[in-house]
Amino acid sequence: MRVGILESTAEEPHSKLFRYLITTAVFAVLVTLGIWYLTRFHHEKATVKKFLDGLVAGQTEQSYSIWKASPTYSYKDFLDDWGADGYYGPVKSYRITDAQGAKGDTSVVIIAEISPFHPFPEENDSVKQSKTKEVRIWVERRDQSLSFPP
């Protein structure tokens, strides 16, 4: 008996079960990989959020302690960068836009946009958007210390 291309014979229940098991396993692996991909930099983003929240609240001492600065980066240097009159200041709102693994997976670069306006300016507000700055913050995974990327 010959079976044509569009004709089929009845499929055995055993092969249906095997096909459903394989499909379910592949789906579970894809969901797991998707969740891992979306949360892989969660701790580093949380550290940067805590740091920037401190700056927004005006708690520069708390943010400086989160920065875990080296002995050569004094509190005055920190204020020159992040204080109300600093290069990046005043920070009134922010938005984390991206996170990228760097330096052999021992650190992460978090990219944030910071603004001197609260709330964060809308995309169509070109005057306020022109004051928004992009900052890259280097986060060491081992101790969650912050610095500027080299």
Side-chain angles (χ1 to χ4, degrees), residues 38-114:
L38 294 174
T39 61
R40 66 181 189 239
F41 301 130
H42 173 74
H43 293 296
E44 292 78 12
K45 286 181 181 179
T47 301
V48 170
K49 283 180 184 179
K50 189 175 177 184
F51 167 74
L52 292 172
D53 285 341
L55 290 175
V56 167
Q59 299 170 341
T60 53
E61 296 89 7
Q62 176 189 349
S63 293
Y64 182 69
S65 69
I66 294 169
W67 190 267
K68 297 179 187 172
S70 68
T72 60
Y73 191 67
S74 69
Y75 184 64
K76 182 193 175 311
D77 295 333
F78 180 80
L79 289 178
D80 288 343
D81 288 335
W82 296 101
D85 298 322
Y87 180 76
Y88 294 108
V91 178
K92 299 292 182 185
S93 62
Y94 67 91
R95 176 174 56 196
I96 294 178
T97 58
D98 197 12
Q100 303 167 347
K103 197 177 172 184
D105 262 356
T106 62
S107 57
V108 175
V109 176
I110 305 293
I111 302 168
E113 293 178 339
I114 55 175

Side-chain angles (χ1 to χ4, degrees), residues 137-149:
I137 301 173
W138 188 279
V139 183
E140 286 293 330
R141 287 191 140 170
R142 62 179 156 72
D143 63 355
Q144 296 296 300
S145 63
L146 308 178
S147 64
F148 294 110

Side-chain angles (χ1 to χ4, degrees), residues 9-56:
T9 60
E11 193 172 356
E12 293 183 30
H14 176 67
S15 61
K16 277 186 178 182
L17 177 64
F18 184 69
R19 181 175 53 195
Y20 291 140
L21 286 175
I22 295 293
T23 303
T24 303
V26 168
F27 180 74
V29 167
L30 289 175
V31 167
T32 302
L33 288 174
I35 291 171
W36 170 83
Y37 183 79
L38 294 174
T39 61
R40 66 181 189 239
F41 301 130
H42 173 74
H43 293 296
E44 292 78 12
K45 286 181 181 179
T47 301
V48 170
K49 283 180 184 179
K50 189 175 177 184
F51 167 74
L52 292 172
D53 285 341
L55 290 175
V56 167

